[in-house]
Amino acid sequence: RVVSCAKVIGATALTIPKTPLLVGEHFDIVIVDEAGQISQPAILGPLMAADSFLLVGDHEQLPPLVQSH
């Protein structure tokens, strides 16, 4: 009940599909920080739990986990 009434929830990408408090919850938006550092399979859980998402990353900080040439 606390989670469904909250305006903002902070969690790791792997927490959302596995934590009992968050399983089955739906969010208006998911914001993923350091999006270049997360693999596609790991990000699917959070993205599926929201209507929309925002991927944030800084190419000057950490290089992407996967690069295409």
Side-chain angles (χ1 to χ4, degrees), residues 3-18:
V3 171
S4 62
C5 293
K7 299 275 185 193
V8 176
I9 304 259
T12 64
L14 297 176
T15 302
I16 291 177
K18 294 181 181 178

Side-chain angles (χ1 to χ4, degrees), residues 1-52:
R1 179 177 165 115
V2 173
V3 171
S4 62
C5 293
K7 299 275 185 193
V8 176
I9 304 259
T12 64
L14 297 176
T15 302
I16 291 177
K18 294 181 181 178
T19 300
L21 288 174
L22 299 175
V23 171
E25 289 293 330
H26 191 78
F27 304 97
D28 295 328
I29 186 167
V30 167
I31 301 171
V32 180
D33 190 22
E34 297 296 347
Q37 293 297 304
I38 192 165
S39 66
Q40 291 173 344
I43 197 72
L44 287 178
L47 298 186
M48 298 301 292
D51 293 330
S52 59

